[in-house]
Each structure stands twice: as C-alpha cells, then as structure tokens.
Amino acid sequence: DVTARLAAAEAAAKAAEAEATAATAGLAAAEAKAGAVLEAADAAEEAEEAERRMTKRVAELESEVRRADAAAKKAEARAERLAKKLNETIDKKEKTTKRKKAEKKNEAAADGALAEGSGNDFADEFLDTSVDIVALPALSKMRKQELVDELAARGLDVSGTVPVLRARLREARAAAE
C-alpha cells in the first residue's frame, strides 16, 4: 500500500513538474509577447512623433513657398510698373522730339534756311528711330523655354529648374534696372 501511494505521489510530482515546466514556457512566451508589444508601442510612438515633426516641417515649407510667391509677384508687379513707366517716358520723349523737330523744320522753312526734304538733322532722326522698350513679361507667366531664351539672350546660364531659372532671371532684371 505504501509503495502504491509512493508511486502515485511520484507520478503526481512528475505531472506537477510537467505542468510547472509548461507554465514556465508559457510565462516565457507571454513575457516575449509583452516585450514585442512594448517594442511595437514604442515604435508606433516614434512613428507618430516623426509624423508630427514632418507635418510641422511641411507646413513651414508651404508657408515659405507662399511668402516667396507673394514676394515674386510683388517684384514682378513692380517690374511691370517700371517697364510701363519707362515706356510712357520714352513715348513722351519721342513725342517731344517729334514736336521739336517739326518746330525746327517749320522755323527753318519760314526762314528759308532748310530746303524741302533735305534731311540734314541726323541726331533728330536717330532719336525718332531709337529702340522701342517693350514691357517685360511677368516671370510667373513665363514657360521654361521662354525663361531659357531670355537667359540665353542675356548670356546667362540656362540650366536648372523653372524656379531656379526664374530666380536667375529676376536677379538679372533687377541688376539691369
């Protein structure tokens, strides 16, 4: 009877030991899973923080682009106003020159000093046929090929993206003023 109980106790002890081993293995698996969950949570937090930083930087860059666009439009509007004013000044100068030339011819004809159609006043004729100044097109409305053409005409570098070409041409136009 004692032997049977001893054998039963040993069997129960082995079963308990097997259960403890299984529980230990389950505990180790649970700890590993918990560690993985914590690592995933940390990674998710880091990803969210990176996304917040990226969103903030994108907003800052968009703001900078809006400010740069506004400054470019303001500069282009100023350039257009200056070109218009220059054209008006040239037109006024041409009208004044033509009027003075006509007055001189009338005075000379009245004095009999200038024969009809002699055309001896070279300086006045040169001023009348001087270069026409045309308003420069707005940079924001120019296509890449137009930018390249104007830069090439000015003897400047024609490589780069459209914003780079616009900036280069804007500087060249400002320097020409």
Side-chain angles (χ1 to χ4, degrees):
D1 186 38
V2 173
T3 315
R5 277 201 271 161
L6 185 59
E10 283 179 5
K14 283 186 181 180
E17 185 179 336
E19 283 181 27
T21 302
T24 302
L27 181 60
E31 285 176 351
K33 188 174 181 180
V37 168
L38 289 175
E39 286 179 16
D42 287 346
E45 264 184 49
E46 288 175 10
E48 287 175 7
E49 180 60 30
E51 184 178 357
R52 280 191 295 274
R53 285 192 312 266
M54 187 69 92
T55 301
K56 181 180 176 184
R57 183 64 182 142
V58 166
E60 290 170 353
L61 291 173
E62 287 172 346
S63 177
E64 287 179 30
V65 166
R66 282 191 298 274
R67 282 193 303 271
D69 282 345
K73 286 179 184 177
K74 185 177 178 181
E76 288 169 10
R78 181 172 184 260
E80 287 174 6
R81 284 192 311 272
L82 289 172
K84 182 179 178 183
K85 188 174 182 178
L86 180 61
N87 283 335
E88 289 170 357
T89 303
I90 289 171
D91 288 345
K92 190 183 286 186
K93 174 72 174 166
E94 286 176 351
K95 287 178 185 177
T96 302
T97 304
K98 286 180 183 179
R99 182 180 47 79
K100 286 182 180 180
K101 183 178 177 183
E103 287 173 1
K104 273 187 178 180
K105 282 187 180 183
N106 288 340
E107 287 175 11
D111 292 343
L114 182 64
E116 188 69 33
S118 68
N120 289 334
D121 199 349
F122 176 76
D124 284 346
E125 289 191 23
F126 177 75
L127 289 174
D128 285 345
T129 59
S130 64
V131 177
D132 277 339
I133 303 295
V134 178
L136 298 171
L139 294 174
S140 62
K141 296 180 181 166
M142 293 177 74
R143 297 187 181 273
K144 183 171 185 174
Q145 190 57 51
E146 294 168 325
L147 294 165
V148 167
D149 292 345
E150 187 169 339
L151 286 165
R154 293 173 182 261
L156 298 171
D157 183 18
V158 296
S159 64
T161 62
V162 171
V164 169
L165 297 175
R166 281 187 180 135
R168 191 175 300 135
L169 190 52
R170 187 175 296 115
E171 289 173 9
R173 284 182 175 181
E177 288 180 8

